[in-house]
Amino acid sequence: MLTLQPAMAAPPIVIKFSHVVDENTPKGIAAMEFKRLAEERTRGRVKVLVYPNSSLYKDREELEALQLGAVQMLAPSLAKFGQLGLRDFEVFDLPYIFPNRQVLKTVTQGAIGRELLAQLEDRGILGLAYWDNGFKVMSSNSPIRMPEDLKGKRMRIQPSRVLEAQMEALGATPLPLAFSDVYTALETGLVDGTENPPSNLYSKNMHEVQKYVAVTNHGYLGYAVIVNRKFWNSLPADLRLTLERCIADATRKNDDEAEKLNATALIKVKQFKNTQVHTLSPAELELWRKALEPVHRRMESRISKDLINSIRKAAAAQAAASAAIELR
Ligand code: LMR
């Protein structure tokens, strides 16, 4: 007699999501939110394995692993796409190009952001969203207040030609290092200082090995949430749609957390007894802007002028709109 076997449920589709930051950061929290939503809403048809803190791959390796299909999802800093030859992504690294988060959002959520993500496709990568982590501060083991205070210092950067030019404009020597190596590089004196949003600085305890922080907010740090294109296109259409909605909700979660977490991290660094945090006066901020202005001109041969001008136009439009509101 035939015994009907219960239909064997197909094994779950596994998404390995690798990243390099601590879990208690905007990206760390958003990755776990994506996991929660994806597993809940696909009723277990998808399983998301999140590997924080470079526990699976470090910076450079993770991009290669994604292209090889060894991991399915990443959210690398926008500063890390230049090493794939995608130079326009380094526009986000230009000092003071974004006056505030609003202009940043106009760019990432509009045509400029979409066009940039489209550049990923011929590298076997699909860009699904942008995640925010706010503006960077400078830190060092020697006092920082004025731009010239970094003269002669060795400064860790992400692998971006714009960030190289930024540090050179300050008379410092840039040293690209993987994020997972930064704490040790600071602790051993391999580098004197670095730059990062407060949430990254604090969550990696860099304040323990950095005596001075200047709240320069000189540059932006954000992420592109990316997947291996072949993997993503192989998913059943209904699953892809559900996962896209999970990404959209995780993006909201990330952006809600980013401002709070960075503000809290900065307060905690200020409370740390061995670190002095200097908030720039308007006059000092002006000196930093001036000192970093040459970076824009120097990078015009590397980043499309139209792209830079469209961002400047978006900034001017936002400034005019806010001025009009104030005049009402
Ligand atoms: C860095 O390398 O400094 C950052 O990109 C780390 C991160 O992903 O926020």
Side-chain angles (χ1 to χ4, degrees):
M1 183 187 61
L2 261 182
T3 49
L4 287 177
Q5 294 292 337
M8 296 295 282
I13 294 169
V14 175
I15 294 180
K16 288 184 180 177
F17 189 157
S18 167
H19 69 77
V20 298
V21 293
D22 191 81
E23 288 171 293
N24 189 27
T25 57
K27 172 161 61 171
I29 289 168
M32 291 308 286
E33 178 71 353
F34 171 71
K35 170 185 169 69
R36 182 181 72 80
L37 294 172
E39 292 177 354
E40 183 184 283
R41 294 180 185 171
T42 63
R43 295 194 182 79
R45 285 171 66 194
V46 168
K47 183 161 185 52
V48 180
L49 302 175
V50 179
Y51 298 91
N53 282 308
S54 309
S55 52
L56 190 62
Y57 292 105
K58 291 169 69 167
D59 275 343
R60 174 77 213 208
E61 298 153 5
E62 68 173 21
L63 277 166
E64 284 155 8
L66 183 90
Q67 288 176 299
L68 292 170
V71 287
Q72 289 71 40
M73 191 178 275
L74 306 173
S77 160
L78 297 164
K80 297 177 179 172
F81 288 91
Q83 59 190 342
L84 292 181
L86 299 162
R87 299 174 169 190
D88 280 350
F89 277 80
E90 292 180 2
V91 74
F92 290 99
D93 297 330
L94 285 172
Y96 296 115
I97 192 167
F98 296 105
N100 52 50
R101 265 188 166 90
Q102 253 177 307
V103 172
L104 186 274
K105 288 248 176 306
T106 310
V107 167
T108 54
Q109 289 169 4
I112 297 174
R114 281 193 296 277
E115 277 151 31
L116 280 170
L117 293 182
Q119 290 183 24
L120 294 167
E121 295 201 18
D122 65 10
R123 280 169 178 72
I125 299 171
L126 267 187
L128 299 181
Y130 290 91
W131 284 355
D132 171 39
N133 197 9
F135 294 92
K136 298 177 287 188
V137 298
M138 289 283 191
S139 65
S140 169
N141 270 328
S142 52
I144 320 178
R145 176 188 287 262
M146 314 299 263
E148 54 272 21
D149 291 338
L150 290 180
K151 204 171 169 54
K153 300 297 173 196
R154 290 184 308 274
M155 297 294 283
R156 180 269 172 176
I157 58 168
Q158 301 170 88
S160 151
R161 291 291 170 79
V162 170
L163 296 179
E164 262 176 40
Q166 168 191 283
M167 293 303 183
E168 286 167 356
L170 297 169
T173 303
L175 191 64
L177 288 174
F179 186 61
S180 51
D181 299 338
V182 177
Y183 180 90
T184 307
L186 293 168
E187 188 186 33
T188 59
L190 176 67
V191 292
D192 304 300
T194 186
E195 55 160 18
N196 235 299
S199 61
N200 277 350
L201 185 144
Y202 183 71
S203 59
K204 282 293 185 186
N205 299 314
M206 294 182 206
H207 55 292
E208 292 174 356
V209 286
Q210 292 281 263
K211 294 193 183 75
Y212 301 93
V213 169
V215 187
T216 47
N217 292 328
H218 61 282
Y220 177 69
L221 195 133
Y223 311 106
V225 184
I226 59 175
V227 287
N228 174 288
R229 190 168 60 143
K230 203 158 144 250
F231 162 77
W232 193 256
N233 290 341
S234 71
L235 292 172
D238 67 317
L239 262 192
R240 224 178 14 247
L241 188 62
T242 304
L243 293 174
E244 280 161 2
R245 289 189 181 131
C246 296
I247 285 285
D249 291 341
T251 300
R252 259 186 292 283
K253 178 80 175 173
N254 176 91
D255 293 359
D256 289 349
E257 291 292 334
E259 211 149 353
K260 268 185 310 197
L261 275 173
N262 277 294
T264 311
L266 189 58
I267 290 167
K268 290 186 178 158
V269 172
K270 283 178 179 172
Q271 290 166 345
F272 188 66
K273 56 188 183 318
N274 296 345
T275 303
Q276 272 183 50
V277 177
H278 175 64
T279 300
L280 302 188
S281 68
E284 290 165 341
L285 177 60
E286 214 28 56
L287 291 173
W288 281 87
R289 282 178 190 284
K290 277 237 159 318
L292 291 171
E293 239 164 41
V295 177
H296 289 241
R297 279 191 300 283
R298 185 174 156 193
M299 287 292 115
E300 270 170 8
S301 58
R302 179 171 173 82
I303 299 170
S304 116
K305 276 203 190 107
D306 290 350
L307 174 57
I308 297 175
N309 290 337
S310 348
I311 293 176
R312 285 183 178 146
K313 270 197 213 120
Q318 192 261 343
S322 357
I325 293 167
E326 272 163 33
L327 287 175
R328 272 190 208 148

